[in-house]
Amino acid sequence: MSQQRPAKGGSGQEVRAAAARALVPVLTDKGSLAGLDEHSVVARDRGLLKELCYGTCRRLPRLEALANKLLKQPFKKRDSDVHALLLVGIYQLLYMRIPAHAAVGETAGAARLLGKEWATRVLNGCLRRLQREAEALQADVDREEHIALEHPPWLLTALRDSWPNQWRAIAEANNEPGPMTLRVNQHHNDREAYLAQLIEQGLSGYLCPHAPDGITLNTPCDVAALPGFEKGHVSVQDEAAQLSAALLGPALAPRPGAHVLDACCAPGGKTAHLLEQFDIALTAIDSDNQRLGRVDDTLNRLGLTAELQHADATQQDWWSGTLFDAILLDAPCSGTGVIRRHPDIKTLRRKEDIRQLAKLQQQLLDNLWPLLRPGGTLLYATCSVLPAENADQIDAFLARTPDAKVTTPSDVAWGIPSGEGRQLFPAQGSHDGFFYARLEKQPA
């Protein structure tokens, strides 16, 4: 039986070269980490590849500042892959437990696999200087607050202006990987019994304080290690995202067969949770056909059924004309509450994007409200922490929509009041940043 041999240069150099290639679209504003191909390296290196890419993006503002100190002159645009290699090397030296000689040697050597042998000397020199002068160089760049907190200036300013008491904690939480949280399917198990199964498998975790179906693992694992995952016994979903089902419960539990719309449904976690919890007829739409395929895969694994439609929720040409009893609008947003899971947001998101996203959210609210029956409930949700997309958006909607009544609960233990909704902030070892506002349509 033949053995797979690493490509010339060894797998250590291969994985670093692969990380550099994956980072180039992010650094040049032409793509995101969503396109990361973990299968571009041998199986044993896939975890390292993901860590190099996600970790570099997570720390990018600081890594860029250090790179500028280390380089005599910037790399040319055509050498953005070499620049990415330098960032990957800095990340390893400062944030990973990789031996320094391996971080330097394998990273510099990876330039050969990019067809740029000339860069090995430059990378080697920069990284060795960082080894010698790490303390002084870091102290120098950290004099700028946005560098020390590893956020673009516009975003740090927006957080400070919006949340003067919480902005620093939000930024610090953004810089740490989010935990792995599970949603237990109550059709198969209660979460206490499932937690016992996890412990039997050598896994450990704790019950989520706010989401009644949630368990957060102490250490993330591959889903293949989760008991009953392929049989639909459990799903991966953040605690804050799980709250949507509880918020829609008062509208859905008393109405078996309720007609429900999940607008902007992909990737389908909230869709599935509603179907696990309630006896409903659910229509789920999304404008991205590829992501809609992921919803279908999720429902198939869980043995659930919904009407899936590739459709634009700012239009009504897909609608049958039957009013909905409840609508979940998980609106497209800046993602500023989930930066720790999508750290490339720090690089790819721009200040001017917020205005465009707020305009889209307004269009979605105004288009979907007429599709709701009198007495029905609309739940507005985002994974943003910016008021322009959240409290301000709902305030403006209420001002122009006289038949909308606020029913957002105030007696819950999660989040803080924000306008007519509730805002959750990303918390280390806990939930992501989320906003919810619940509205009821008053009879004419």
Side-chain angles (χ1 to χ4, degrees):
M1 191 166 103
S2 63
Q3 289 185 315
Q4 183 179 12
R5 292 184 297 176
K8 185 178 178 182
S11 69
Q13 294 180 15
E14 278 287 329
V15 69
R16 288 160 176 84
R21 294 187 192 101
L23 286 167
V24 166
V26 178
L27 299 176
T28 57
D29 209 21
K30 294 179 180 176
S32 72
L33 289 182
L36 178 63
D37 180 11
E38 296 179 32
H39 296 277
S40 63
V41 297
V42 294
R44 68 175 177 272
D45 286 338
R46 287 169 192 164
L48 176 57
L49 174 64
K50 189 172 182 180
E51 171 64 16
L52 291 175
C53 292
Y54 277 75
T56 297
C57 285
R58 188 169 284 119
R59 307 293 180 179
L60 192 60
R62 197 162 185 259
L63 302 183
E64 290 278 22
L66 287 165
N68 290 338
K69 293 287 182 183
L70 294 169
L71 288 166
K72 293 180 180 178
Q73 58 185 28
F75 291 112
K76 293 180 171 63
K77 285 186 178 180
R78 65 173 179 266
D79 297 319
S80 55
D81 50 356
V82 179
H83 181 70
L85 262 186
L86 176 58
L87 299 174
V88 166
I90 298 171
Y91 177 71
Q92 292 169 78
L93 287 175
L94 297 184
Y95 296 102
M96 295 185 73
R97 295 181 177 179
I98 294 172
H101 68 88
V104 174
E106 299 283 34
T107 302
R112 297 188 183 94
L113 301 181
L114 301 176
K116 297 178 179 178
E117 187 164 357
W118 59 266
T120 58
R121 182 185 296 180
V122 178
L123 293 169
N124 189 67
C126 287
L127 295 175
R128 292 205 179 281
R129 182 186 166 199
L130 179 62
Q131 280 184 275
R132 296 191 304 269
E133 304 175 29
E135 188 173 341
L137 287 168
Q138 291 181 87
D140 189 14
V141 299
D142 285 347
R143 286 185 294 184
E144 292 191 67
E145 193 169 48
H146 79 277
I147 298 298
L149 288 172
E150 300 170 313
H151 279 61
W154 78 266
L155 180 54
L156 205 62
T157 298
L159 293 176
R160 185 190 286 110
D161 291 347
S162 301
W163 307 108
N165 298 322
Q166 297 95 350
W167 69 273
R168 184 176 290 273
I170 295 171
E172 290 172 349
N174 285 347
N175 292 338
E176 298 298 328
M180 183 173 178
T181 298
L182 310 178
R183 185 188 76 240
V184 178
N185 187 340
Q186 298 283 353
H187 289 296
H188 298 282
N189 251 323
D190 61 44
R191 64 176 181 168
E192 289 80 3
Y194 191 80
L195 182 57
Q197 287 186 39
L198 290 173
I199 293 170
E200 288 176 10
Q201 295 292 321
L203 302 170
S204 62
Y206 48 92
L207 303 181
C208 292
H210 307 306
D213 300 326
I215 296 173
T216 296
L217 299 182
N218 290 323
T219 304
C221 70
D222 191 289
V223 294
L226 297 173
F229 179 81
E230 289 301 330
K231 296 179 180 179
H233 293 194
V234 68
S235 299
V236 178
Q237 188 181 36
D238 178 74
E239 181 182 18
Q242 293 185 39
L243 297 174
S244 59
L247 286 165
L248 282 170
L252 300 182
R255 296 182 66 87
H259 190 209
V260 179
L261 172 66
D262 184 355
C264 315
C265 65
K270 297 181 187 68
T271 312
H273 197 193
L274 291 175
L275 289 166
E276 288 173 359
Q277 288 281 307
F278 307 109
D279 174 14
I280 55 175
L282 191 143
T283 299
I285 69 172
D286 202 274
S287 60
D288 187 327
N289 206 29
Q290 187 173 358
R291 296 186 77 224
L292 198 63
R294 292 176 59 191
V295 181
D296 193 34
D297 292 342
T298 294
L299 297 184
N300 286 336
R301 179 179 65 83
L302 294 166
L304 301 170
T305 302
E307 179 189 351
L308 301 185
Q309 288 195 46
H310 178 213
D312 182 352
T314 66
Q315 306 295 321
Q316 296 184 5
D317 52 2
W318 53 270
W319 180 44
S320 69
T322 303
L323 295 173
F324 293 99
D325 297 301
I327 296 174
L328 170 60
L329 172 53
D330 188 7
C333 70
S334 62
T336 45
V338 292
I339 286 174
R340 60 190 188 171
R341 301 191 190 279
H342 305 281
D344 49 355
I345 287 173
K346 289 182 181 181
T347 304
L348 300 175
R349 188 64 70 205
R350 300 286 187 271
K351 181 180 180 179
E352 53 269 25
D353 294 340
I354 307 306
R355 183 180 299 174
Q356 291 301 314
L357 287 164
K359 182 178 179 181
L360 173 59
Q361 293 152 5
Q362 175 185 327
Q363 291 173 332
L364 289 164
L365 280 164
D366 289 344
N367 185 64
L368 294 174
W369 189 253
L371 279 54
L372 185 67
R373 70 165 177 84
T377 293
L378 183 146
L379 181 64
Y380 177 83
T382 76
C383 54
S384 169
V385 295
L386 300 180
E389 303 177 88
N390 297 337
D392 295 352
Q393 183 70 256
I394 294 302
D395 284 348
F397 177 74
L398 291 169
R400 64 180 182 269
T401 314
D403 60 346
K405 175 187 175 184
V406 178
T407 62
T408 309
S410 58
D411 58 347
V412 291
W414 50 263
I416 64 170
S418 180
E420 300 295 348
R422 290 192 75 82
Q423 180 71 61
L424 298 101
F425 302 114
Q428 296 186 39
S430 186
H431 53 70
D432 291 340
F434 245 82
F435 175 84
Y436 285 108
R438 193 174 66 192
L439 307 173
E440 182 179 300
K441 192 169 190 177
Q442 298 299 287

